[in-house]
Amino acid sequence: MAVQGVQPFQMFIMVVFLAALVTIWLIVKQYSGRIRNKLHADRRIEVMQELSLGTNESLRIIRVDEQEFILHAAKNGPASLHPLNQLVTQSLPQQTGIESLLSASNSQAPVPEEDIPAFLLKKKTRGR
């Protein structure tokens, strides 16, 4: 039984198939953002940013229906959720402009401890 080599028509089919795969890959790569937005248009919860505070703790900024929250999650403790818009507006000065930021009259009194979320008051201890 004689073994036949690769026919020119088979080479042509292989080149056309690979060209079609590369073309589809380029189209998907170019329009991946639009495709992803259409597939996930009904999502109401979105993780905006994540920050690791250590091996056991993390902070996440989450958007739910155009409202932003900060989520503190610990490995062995309960998670806490705080509205981010309230935290930001409480810490921003009422006056605007560079003069108000540089003036001594704009200094605010420290926030009482009961207004600060508990996870911000905890001090990290390593190896103790």
Side-chain angles (χ1 to χ4, degrees), residues 60-103:
R60 291 181 182 96
I61 298 177
I62 300 172
R63 180 179 292 163
V64 179
D65 293 336
E66 302 302 323
Q67 293 179 336
E68 292 183 350
F69 297 92
I70 188 163
L71 173 68
H72 172 255
K75 195 172 197 176
N76 295 328
S80 60
L81 185 70
H82 302 280
L84 186 61
N85 296 339
Q86 290 178 356
L87 293 175
V88 172
T89 55
Q90 288 175 356
S91 64
L92 291 177
Q94 297 298 325
Q95 299 175 352
T96 59
I98 191 71
E99 295 85 13
S100 65
L101 294 175
L102 295 176
S103 69

